[in-house]
């Protein structure tokens, strides 16, 4: 699932710093961990990225 970083942190699994606004592709389990306080940082670090809808014009 796609997520967006809302608080900068160092991701031990990715071995890199994730900054605000970065888009990540996460498993459902990893998203649940990072989007709640049930992680090492004890803070919400990501939120779900809204689905981008494509608009088609009818002629």
């Amino acid at each position: 699932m796609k997520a967006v970083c809302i608080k900068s942190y160092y991701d031990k699994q990715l071995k890199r710093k994730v900054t605000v606004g970065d888009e990540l592709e996460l498993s459902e389990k990893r998203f649940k961990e990072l989007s709640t306080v049930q992680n090492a940082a004890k803070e919400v670090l990501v939120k779900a990225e809204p689905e981008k809808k494509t608009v088609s014009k009818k002629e």
Side-chain angles (χ1 to χ4, degrees):
M1 91 174 295
K2 293 205 178 223
V4 177
C5 176
I6 58 172
K7 180 156 177 78
S8 296
Y9 69 99
Y10 181 80
D11 193 305
K12 293 178 182 177
Q13 286 187 359
L14 298 175
K15 296 181 179 159
R16 71 175 181 95
K17 183 170 175 133
V18 180
T19 58
V20 175
D22 284 357
E23 295 180 0
L24 305 166
E25 184 67 39
L26 302 171
S27 68
E28 196 70 35
K29 181 180 177 185
R30 183 81 168 133
F31 176 77
K32 286 181 183 177
E33 178 184 344
L34 295 176
S35 64
T36 65
V37 294
Q38 302 299 322
N39 56 53
K42 306 291 186 224
E43 296 182 55
V44 176
L45 301 171
V46 300
K47 67 178 181 178
E49 182 178 60
E51 290 289 322
K52 293 180 181 175
K53 296 181 181 179
T54 56
V55 177
S56 61
K57 289 185 176 182
K58 292 185 178 180
E59 292 183 33

